[in-house]
DNA sequence: CTGAAAGCGCTTACAG
DNA sequence: CTGAAAGCGCTTACAG
């Protein structure tokens, strides 16, 4: 075990007090430039690292932010979306020399609450990032009570209870509906994630609004992001009689499920039915047919989320650059509406 | 900000010393059962949480283990393997009330070294999990020097410099080769990941050994886990003249690349060429054709890795349950060898 | 079984 | 600009 070098060691060697060393190391006023240089040089030479626990204990930052992922592990393994968001988060944190404490819990609502409670109680993190906001989300009052900085990612109203990072949901819905309308489709099935999730409700509202402006009709089917459910819902709907010609699915996995179910029912994609995914990924690229999808820049989004949280922790305004327009990647799963 | 409850508060309320409270809370001897009960009851009532930094500073555990993922973010987003391993790790850590500090760095070798140095210096973690061991891996001497507990995941020799968790690579190679041999294949292309990775070298050796026992021949092509490279290598090999009839790829993404390249070259899968993936995932299931793949139980593997590290940290032997046999999921990408 | 005390390595008022 | 000191909330010998 390498012997730890402390600021006490640095102070002794330099004939300074620990306070001066601390000021020098932290870029605080209170030491001459010359002293600071000497301190920094010695710290580097002796490979001094600040003890994160000592720092945290004496009231400074922990240098860590927390993220609780509330999805089923199997789904996390198949949906590339979160891994990409995660890598964007990491990129932002690295720049700020922050660490990420990651926790995966199941998808049942509320399983994450004790984690925040504990993190706050133990003083583990400086803040947390929240995804998948729900109606009357219990995390918001909880985090307020705990006094833990937090950022709501994917929220609609910037003026909400917590600072938020918003995606371009409006533009997303418009792009998708526009494409389908242009292809002659007039009826859409919107295959959503669980309706308890606010972004699913918002998306559905925006799709309906855009559709109705274009004189189109929308049927909503509530899925759960899994392929199995998407296949079942699609099969049922196709069998129930005259079905819409366009399907919009909330993620890539469900879009694939819709395509597979259609194939199994003898419904041609895109001949009889067009399919669009709200998330792009390799899954969409390799589907047969490849699936038209929105590239919502998940890495970029993760990066913005982390930066917003860091700004919140630092108390320096939100610093959010605002949403970036998604790119609709048109592939073979969409085509002219059947007559 | 909720006021922090400390053991001092508990001690005062109960008329005990902080030491007694600490002993009671930590299940240490030195307090009567009755006292312990009272302490625990009050701690629960006041929602006391141990300050992780105070604990860590006074020499106890940090309660956190670290993981550095050294792959390109884009690849992490497409390859489901790591997310599944991660969820297995999380499951084991939750049981032990441990947290996971996650860091993603690029795939250039060595980018992770400063992270370990820093984590050790800052006293951030109790140990780290190592994946993707390389020949003369610099992490091993580094971690030894730093005195940071570590576990090598995916290593072959249990008697190595660090405790290790081993997959059933032998069985994996045998299963794959056996399947192909039974289908009449006699020549295999082994599309590997970077040869600097020890598990790639071992796999290749095992595939060659199993093949040669069965009178088969193996050609090795070194890929980098990406689809692009796999497509290019496959295309080149197919064009170069009489190619083997069986392709074994080190991950699902490369297997897909091989299938796509074959299709583009007018080579039928599995009519002309069979393809097997070393990793199973949704990508394999939805491929056209669906790809025969080894389910190496990545969640289970992650779970074992985390448990081994926790055992190492606790100093309680390795506690590894040993490898679990992988399951070869035979799908439409493999068939009888062309005459 | 219990208490008083030192110490972990920092940060931060407070004096000089 | 610098130093002596208190304090963060625990754990852990050491006495009783």
């Amino acid at each position: 075990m390498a012997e730890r070098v402390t600021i006490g060691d640095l102070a002794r060697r330099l004939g300074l007090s620990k306070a001066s060393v601390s000021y020098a190391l932290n870029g605080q006023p209170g030491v001459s430039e010359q002293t600071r240089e000497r301190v920094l040089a010695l710290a580097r030479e002796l490979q001094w690292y600040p003890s994160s626990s000592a720092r945290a204990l004496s009231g400074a930052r922990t240098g860590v932010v927390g993220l609780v992922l509330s999805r089923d592990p199997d789904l996390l393994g198949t949906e590339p979306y979160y891994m990409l968001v995660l890598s964007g988060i990491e990129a932002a944190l690295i720049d700020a020399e922050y660490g990420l404490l990651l926790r995966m819990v199941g998808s049942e609502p509320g399983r994450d609450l004790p984690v925040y409670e504990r993190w706050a109680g133990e003083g583990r993190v400086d803040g947390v990032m929240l995804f998948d906001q729900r109606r009357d989300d219990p995390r918001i009052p909880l985090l307020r009570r705990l006094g833990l900085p937090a950022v709501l990612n994917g929220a609609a109203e910037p003026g909400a209870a917590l600072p938020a990072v918003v995606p371009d949901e409006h533009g997303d819905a418009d792009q998708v509906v526009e494409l389908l309308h242009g292809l002659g489709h007039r009826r859409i099935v919107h295959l959503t994630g669980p309706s308890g999730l606010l972004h699913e409700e918002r998306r559905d509202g925006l799709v309906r609004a855009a559709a109705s402006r274009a004189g189109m009709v929308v049927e909503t089917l509530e899925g759960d992001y899994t392929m199995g459910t998407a296949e079942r819902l699609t099969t049922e709907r196709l069998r129930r009689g005259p079905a819409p010609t366009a399907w919009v699915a909330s993620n890539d996995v469900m879009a694939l499920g819709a395509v597979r179910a259609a194939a199994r029912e003898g419904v041609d994609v895109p001949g009889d039915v067009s399919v669009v995914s709200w998330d792009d990924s390799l899954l969409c690229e390799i589907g047969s047919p490849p699936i038209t999808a929105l590239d919502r820049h998940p890495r970029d989004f993760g990066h913005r989320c982390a930066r917003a949280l860091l700004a919140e922790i630092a108390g320096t305004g939100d610093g959010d650059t605002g949403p970036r327009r998604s790119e609709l990647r048109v592939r073979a799963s969409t085509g002219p509406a059947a007559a």
Side-chain angles (χ1 to χ4, degrees), chain A residues 19-303:
Chain A
S20 301
V21 171
S22 175
Y23 291 142
L25 257 8
N26 291 310
Q28 304 267 28
V31 282
S32 64
E33 256 328 293
Q34 200 194 344
T35 306
R36 192 186 304 278
E37 296 291 323
R38 288 173 58 219
V39 172
L40 290 175
L42 186 64
R44 209 161 16 235
E45 184 194 331
L46 299 185
Q47 301 204 58
W48 172 84
Y49 286 92
S51 154
S52 61
S53 40
R55 257 201 180 154
L57 186 57
S58 55
R61 309 262 145 83
T62 65
V64 172
V65 298
L67 171 62
V68 182
L69 246 33
S70 307
R71 297 237 173 159
D72 281 320
D74 286 341
L75 192 58
L76 283 173
T78 55
E79 242 191 350
Y81 182 78
Y82 271 107
M83 202 62 159
L84 290 170
V85 170
L86 213 54
S87 85
I89 290 173
E90 283 282 350
L93 293 181
I94 287 174
D95 291 343
E97 311 224 294
Y98 253 77
L100 178 72
L101 193 58
L102 180 71
R103 179 66 108 205
M104 294 182 184
V105 300
S107 59
E108 308 97 275
R111 291 255 265 146
D112 49 351
L113 299 178
V115 178
Y116 300 120
E117 196 120 22
R118 223 182 122 179
W119 281 351
E122 296 181 348
R124 286 237 179 245
V125 297
D126 295 334
V128 295
M129 318 189 46
L130 266 30
F131 286 87
D132 289 340
Q133 187 185 4
R134 292 172 180 276
R135 183 161 296 294
D136 296 321
D137 200 313
R139 297 175 296 181
I140 296 173
L142 174 65
L143 290 167
R144 177 173 299 278
R145 174 165 74 73
L146 296 172
L148 199 58
V151 167
L152 219 40
N153 301 317
E157 325 87 324
L162 291 177
V165 176
V166 302
D168 183 19
E169 292 172 326
H170 216 96
D172 291 347
D174 285 351
Q175 286 196 67
V176 169
V177 171
E178 222 163 79
L179 170 77
L180 294 172
H181 184 262
L183 289 168
H185 296 276
R186 291 299 174 262
R187 291 170 61 208
I188 297 176
V189 167
H190 189 199
L191 194 49
T192 71
S195 66
L197 298 175
L198 279 189
H199 69 266
E200 292 294 341
E201 293 189 13
R202 286 195 306 267
R203 270 189 209 170
D204 195 52
L206 290 165
V207 166
R208 285 174 174 276
S212 100
R213 279 197 303 275
M216 299 164 76
V217 174
V218 177
E219 287 177 34
T220 302
L221 297 180
E222 180 179 338
D224 58 6
Y225 295 131
T226 69
M227 191 148 78
T229 302
E231 290 185 78
R232 183 175 54 73
L233 292 172
T234 302
T235 304
E236 285 171 8
R237 182 61 192 88
L238 288 172
R239 290 187 183 166
R240 205 162 57 229
T245 57
W247 297 65
V248 177
S250 259
N251 72 353
D252 43 4
V253 175
M254 289 201 296
L256 274 170
V259 168
R260 297 214 325 177
R264 215 173 294 122
E265 293 295 306
V267 171
D268 186 59
V269 177
D272 302 316
V273 156
S274 286
V275 175
V276 179
S277 164
W278 213 274
D279 282 338
D280 189 23
S281 76
L282 185 57
L283 291 172
C284 294
E285 279 180 57
I286 67 162
S288 44
I291 298 173
T292 295
L294 271 177
D295 178 357
R296 299 186 292 125
H297 314 300
R299 282 206 73 196
D300 186 68
F301 184 65
H303 202 272

Side-chain angles (χ1 to χ4, degrees), chain A residues 306-327:
Chain A
R307 280 219 320 274
L309 179 57
L310 292 173
E312 174 69 11
I313 290 169
T316 59
D318 71 6
D320 187 7
T321 51
R324 180 171 154 204
R325 184 176 168 83
S326 307
E327 259 172 82

